[in-house]
Amino acid sequence: MSTTEIAYLSVKALTKYIKRKFDADPHLRQVYVRGELSNVKIHTSGHIYFTLKDDSSKIAGVMFATNARSVAFKPENGMTVLIRGEVNVFEIAGNYQLYANDMQPDGVGALFVAFEQLKEKLRHEGLFRIETKKKLPAFPKTIGLVTATTGAAIRDVLTTLNRRFPLAKVIVFPTLVQGRGSAPSIVQSIQRANQYNEIDVLIVGRGGGSIEDLWAFNDEIVARAIYESEIPIISAVGHETDTTIADYVADVRAATPTAAAELSVPNQLEISRHIIQLEQSIQTKTLHLVQLAKEKVDRLQGATVMTQPERLYRPFIERHAYLQQKLESSITRQIERKKEQFLFLKSRLDQQQPLKTVAEANTRVDQLTHRLNEVKMFKLREEQQRFVSTLRTLEVLNPLQVMGRGFGIVYKKGHVVEQITSIKEGDVLSVTLKDGTISAKVLEVSKGKEE
């Protein structure tokens, strides 16, 4: 047969032929496979893509979002799982793969795996830290109860609260605590309780049941609602052996709902007994204090100070007298010293009186004036005598007096002629006599002997 006579198939036709073979095989429509997960990818659409492998083989797998939402745990690489599904052909890629409808962890239940995964996640975020736990009030006035309104749990809680502390007001928030929608119902009730602004403590829980019945208290939104609550929360879920995520997040975990009621309020009987004990203790201590006070009063009344009070202030009186005497002596000495200083100063003042000094000065002035007058008169008389003497001498020396005796004064050309040598014959001379002047002409000059 030549190649032109052979009918070639397209890839698509071949793939569809193979797919019909897979569809027709009843053993591939529902298979149960155990294997290890690898290459796990959880798409944002919710589809889970993975590879399932063992020691010698592997097969690609996918779980679409409609089935993936029912998986209680988060598939991770290395996890051994049990898968129920079918094997078929992925036409686009031309390979076969496992289409998973259900997936369970191998060895442990899916819920347990989901529980551990969520617990580890919230622990890592710090929702279980002790330091974030709120303290329960000692005497709550109002208690909130988040639980179902039917069942034994709410009856047990109400009975216990009424028996232990009937003064507390109880507000019940009817809540769906099991099945679909239970987790949002619990969250809504916790949020409503926080909006009341009068609830002191909140009990969140339900009675016992299977892990599936209690599963709402393992939901992440319930855990976060408990953590964000401003009211202290007591978790009371199932029995003592049941532990949920809510128990880890709550401020206080109670083994049962009844135990939660006991933890939330004090016991009135214990309070009464405590009050009675306090009353007795106060009475005993008061009597003891009164007795001590009485003994103290007796001691004080018998003290010397009380029996002889003057002894209490006698030292002060003595000291007062001593100080008073000392003060008086000091004042007396001061007065005497000041008096002496006054007399001394007064004596100096008397000695240095300015009026006396002025009087003495005036006397001195008078004496000096008298002496000056005497000297002045003496000088005057002396000068007068000297004047008279001089006057007499002048009178003796007066030329007029000489001319009165017959003498005259010869002038030549206005000058007195004192020497005969200054005259020569023919000179015209003037001769002044006592009573007039004459003019004369020298006829002859004769020199006489010099005396």
Side-chain angles (χ1 to χ4, degrees), residues 119-133 224 227 248-249:
K119 187 175 73 171
E120 184 60 28
K121 175 183 177 182
L122 298 182
R123 185 194 308 279
H124 180 72
E125 293 182 14
L127 270 66
F128 302 160
R129 289 182 300 174
I130 299 298
E131 53 270 25
T132 62
K133 305 292 185 185
R224 296 195 181 280
Y227 182 76
Y248 289 103
V249 183

Side-chain angles (χ1 to χ4, degrees), residues 59 63 95 120 181 208 220 227 307 312:
I59 182 174
M63 175 177 266
N95 55 10
E120 184 60 28
E220 184 174 350
Y227 182 76
T307 57
L312 179 64

Side-chain angles (χ1 to χ4, degrees), residues 313-332:
Y313 50 80
R314 182 184 299 167
F316 298 98
I317 293 176
E318 293 174 351
R319 181 168 180 78
H320 175 265
Y322 168 75
L323 292 176
Q324 186 175 13
Q325 184 179 1
K326 187 176 181 181
L327 178 62
E328 290 175 355
S329 299
S330 176
I331 292 173
T332 301

